[in-house]
């Protein structure tokens, strides 16, 4: 993919480095000349410009990008960049960094945002995922929270142990995407038997998260 990252601070440079290592083409757009450090991310294309101006984005040929990441430390700038990327340049995927969690409610499709990433929320989810067993933990939201990536770990007393995945009556609009067992990442198949400690990753609708937890609880076994 060709990815444009707006904001070349520590966050933007780190994202750029990861994407480059994964074989993608990266363009870093930074307004502050003091942050233009080409040696820090040598494989990236660097553009010094104000990404909140349409003319700057036109010169950078933003329309050629598959993804735009608004990663500045300013929520106002990230929202403006997201809106311009989506409405003026028809970028397929816009990911935006939420600097202040109090502003997270603004990061919606109305502002051109496909995925909003709030560091405090992500860290909290990772903590919950590490210590919580038997409860649904929301890891990431998509489409204004309508769809979520959630995780649930099967407890030691789960009655689902030994039963195949086909027996699990998943709620509507719920898809099991992966099963984590020890060091293994298992592609779900109907015949795969569940084990104690399995971590199940689902993409599900927000309205049925509680129902999903009930299904995987002891009371949910038929």
């Amino acid at each position: 993919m060709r990815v444009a990252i707006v904001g070349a601070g520590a966050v933007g440079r780190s994202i750029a480095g990861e994407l480059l290592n994964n074989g993608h083409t990266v363009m870093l757009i930074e307004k502050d000349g003091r942050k233009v450090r080409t040696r820090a991310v040598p494989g990236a294309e660097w553009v010094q410009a104000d990404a909140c101006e349409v003319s700057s984005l036109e010169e950078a040929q933003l329309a050629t990008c598959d993804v735009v990441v608004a990663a500045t430390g300013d929520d106002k700038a990230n929202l403006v960049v997201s809106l311009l990327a989506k409405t003026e340049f028809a970028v397929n995927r816009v990911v935006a960094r939420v600097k202040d969690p109090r502003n997270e409610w603004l990061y919606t499709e109305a502002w051109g945002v496909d995925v909003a990433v709030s560091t405090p929320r992500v860290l909290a989810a990772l903590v919950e995922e590490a210590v919580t067993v038997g409860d649904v933990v929301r890891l990431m939201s998509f489409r204004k929270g309508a769809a979520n990536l959630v995780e649930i770990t099967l407890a030691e007393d789960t009655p689902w142990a030994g039963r195949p995945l086909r027996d699990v009556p998943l709620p509507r609009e719920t898809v099991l995407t992966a099963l984590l067992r020890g060091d293994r990442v298992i592609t779900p198949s109907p015949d795969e038997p569940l084990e104690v400690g399995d971590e199940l990753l689902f993409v599900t609708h927000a309205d049925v998260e509680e129902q999903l937890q009930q299904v995987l609880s002891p009371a949910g076994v038929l």
Side-chain angles (χ1 to χ4, degrees):
M1 297 183 297
R2 177 171 171 77
V3 182
I5 301 173
V6 178
V11 173
R13 294 197 305 271
S14 296
I15 297 171
E18 290 292 331
L19 290 172
L20 287 167
N21 288 337
N22 290 335
H24 302 294
T25 301
V26 174
M27 173 173 60
L28 277 162
I29 304 176
E30 174 56 54
K31 179 181 179 181
D32 188 349
R34 295 171 297 180
K35 294 182 180 179
V36 178
R37 305 172 184 174
T38 56
R39 293 183 179 180
V41 192
E45 174 187 351
W46 287 79
V47 176
Q48 184 178 348
D50 185 351
C52 291
E53 296 183 359
V54 174
S55 59
S56 297
L57 297 179
E58 288 177 342
E59 291 181 8
Q61 297 183 329
L62 199 74
T64 65
C65 295
D66 303 293
V67 180
V68 166
V69 181
T72 78
D74 185 330
D75 283 330
K76 295 188 295 296
N78 289 340
L79 288 168
V80 170
V81 168
S82 298
L83 184 63
L84 292 177
K86 185 66 69 172
T87 61
E88 298 294 327
F89 298 93
V91 175
N92 183 53
R93 194 74 167 164
V94 176
V95 180
R97 173 193 180 191
V98 181
K99 176 64 174 178
D100 187 338
R102 293 174 297 180
N103 296 327
E104 189 172 4
W105 65 277
L106 289 167
Y107 285 74
T108 65
E109 287 183 343
W111 279 95
V113 178
D114 293 306
V115 178
V117 180
S118 171
T119 302
R121 182 178 293 278
V122 170
L123 289 175
L126 291 175
V127 169
E128 288 183 317
E129 187 273 335
V131 302
T132 304
V133 175
D135 293 328
V136 170
V137 177
R138 185 179 298 180
L139 301 178
M140 185 174 291
S141 295
F142 307 97
R143 299 295 181 184
K144 299 185 293 185
N148 299 310
L149 176 65
V150 302
E151 180 268 353
I152 187 166
T153 300
L154 297 183
E156 291 186 3
D157 60 348
T158 178
W160 288 108
R163 299 187 63 173
L165 284 170
R166 67 157 59 89
D167 287 354
V168 182
L170 295 180
R172 61 178 176 80
E173 299 182 53
T174 299
V175 178
L176 177 61
T177 59
L179 191 158
L180 308 182
R181 180 178 296 153
D183 296 332
R184 299 174 60 199
V185 178
I186 300 172
T187 301
S189 68
D191 296 327
E192 183 67 37
L194 292 168
E195 296 182 8
V196 170
D198 281 351
E199 295 181 51
L200 308 178
L201 296 178
F202 298 91
V203 175
T204 185
H205 195 282
D207 292 343
V208 298
E209 286 183 13
E210 184 176 348
Q211 183 180 347
L212 175 62
Q213 181 164 329
Q214 292 174 350
V215 166
L216 292 172
S217 71
V221 178
L222 300 176

